[in-house]
Amino acid sequence: MPDSRRGVLYGVAAYTMWGLFPLYWPLLKPSGAVEILAHRVVWSLVAVIAVLAVRRHWSWFRELARQPRKLLLLTLAAVTVSVNWGVYIYAVNAGHVVESALGYFINPLVSVLFGVLVFRERLRPWQWTAVGLGTLAVIVLAVDYGRPPWIALVLAVSFGTYGLIKKAANVGAAESLTVETLVLLVPALAYLAFLQSQGTATFGAAGLGHAALLAGGGVVTAIPLMCFTASAIRVPLSVIGLLQYIAPILQFLCGVLVAHETMAPSRWAGFAIIWLALAVFSWEGLRHAHATRRAATPAPALETV
């Protein structure tokens, strides 16, 4: 199989698994969102260490320990991703699957704004059109919800910030996840010990199957991340940019078709606007990439007689 096709399949697998997360977290009830988050941290570390052990890849740790800037960035990434994970688990288990999907629909537009604010990038006119439509969608949905869609906004901003930090750190997926979970390990274990001392911990108390599902949270965190990394190094970013919509589309379908969340006409209107914004954003990106490739292709030399 060509490497590029394998990369696409890895990407589809990663985003499909992320898109089906709303079906997994409700299985962990009666555990609360924070307890699930703590177990996700602990078992993610176990899973990624197992991956590193199979690969016999440990030399990176000593080299990374000599780079305090990267360690600081990964610490900030750990804090950011814990906010994202915690809010997402809460949203899904509290019946806000559709709003959580909105967060990941908005995320590409948030990343564009970060490019403007942090890297002083200049947006092209159609990119500004997409951002404007995204802003209008948020306003329409705020009116519909009777409040700002804070779950979607927190998810979009936290994941966008996480990606920004990871880009600056430039550390591999398994290595980065190891450090991030190590940073979160002590507070996670402390919280689980507190629940155990209070007699409110659900791990083991709700049956062996429930305990296995809690532990499985680490596996379902690590596997799609590994697939994503395998995809990112094999296919262009333009392809990754299109594949990323698989996850929120599946999350949205889970919310509407499985969780049966209410979709009032005004809510459909808000989502229609955000989908239009993403269509404009994707079309403009593909158009610009095509124009750039054409400009970079040297003109054929003229034959002389």
Side-chain angles (χ1 to χ4, degrees):
M1 182 184 296
D3 215 34
S4 58
R5 185 179 298 177
R6 187 181 294 112
V8 171
L9 292 177
Y10 277 129
V12 170
Y15 284 111
T16 299
M17 284 185 276
W18 280 329
L20 296 177
F21 269 9
L23 303 179
Y24 189 85
W25 304 123
L27 301 176
L28 305 186
K29 294 178 180 180
S31 300
V34 180
E35 184 179 7
I36 294 173
L37 174 61
H39 276 287
R40 188 177 185 183
V41 169
V42 172
W43 297 109
S44 293
L45 179 60
V46 173
V48 77
I49 286 177
V51 170
L52 291 172
V54 170
R55 292 166 53 189
R56 298 182 180 179
H57 182 46
W58 303 107
S59 58
W60 62 271
F61 194 80
R62 184 177 300 176
E63 181 182 348
L64 186 61
R66 301 194 192 102
Q67 303 180 65
R69 177 180 174 274
K70 287 193 174 184
L71 289 174
L72 177 60
L73 287 172
L74 291 178
T75 300
L76 293 174
V79 174
T80 306
V81 79
S82 67
V83 172
N84 183 270
W85 286 358
V87 172
Y88 183 74
I89 293 168
Y90 161 77
V92 170
N93 285 358
H96 299 290
V97 178
V98 169
E99 189 176 348
S100 67
L102 174 64
Y104 293 105
F105 278 124
I106 293 174
N107 180 68
L109 303 179
V110 171
S111 297
V112 168
L113 287 177
F114 279 168
V116 173
L117 298 175
V118 178
F119 297 111
R120 298 290 188 263
E121 296 176 359
R122 298 185 64 180
L123 296 188
R124 298 181 292 276
W126 282 109
Q127 289 179 310
W128 277 118
T129 301
V131 171
L133 286 170
T135 304
L136 175 62
V138 171
I139 294 172
V140 170
L141 289 167
V143 173
D144 173 76
Y145 283 114
R147 57 169 176 81
W150 69 267
I151 291 174
L153 294 174
V154 170
L155 289 175
V157 172
S158 61
F159 197 74
T161 303
Y162 179 68
L164 191 68
I165 296 171
K166 292 290 287 287
K167 181 178 180 180
N170 192 26
V171 178
E175 297 87 343
S176 176
L177 185 59
T178 302
V179 175
E180 291 166 30
T181 48
L182 278 172
V183 169
L184 299 170
L185 183 62
V186 172
L189 289 175
Y191 182 75
L192 293 176
F194 169 75
L195 291 181
Q196 198 68 41
S197 67
Q198 297 295 306
T200 56
T202 61
F203 186 78
L208 184 60
H210 178 265
L213 287 170
L214 277 175
V219 177
V220 301
T221 296
I223 289 179
L225 183 60
M226 301 300 161
C227 289
F228 172 77
T229 304
S231 175
I233 63 178
R234 288 176 169 85
V235 299
L237 284 177
S238 58
V239 176
I240 292 291
L242 293 176
L243 292 179
Q244 70 178 331
Y245 297 128
I246 294 174
I249 288 171
L250 289 176
Q251 291 167 6
F252 178 82
L253 292 175
C254 285
V256 174
L257 302 178
V258 179
H260 303 293
E261 294 185 18
T262 302
M263 287 291 294
S266 54
R267 196 163 302 178
W268 279 111
F271 271 87
I273 295 171
I274 198 66
W275 292 332
L276 176 61
L278 293 175
V280 170
F281 178 75
S282 300
W283 168 79
E284 198 282 336
L286 292 172
R287 172 174 164 272
H288 180 73
H290 179 67
T292 302
R293 284 196 300 270
R294 288 188 61 184
T297 302
L302 294 176
E303 294 184 2
T304 59
V305 178

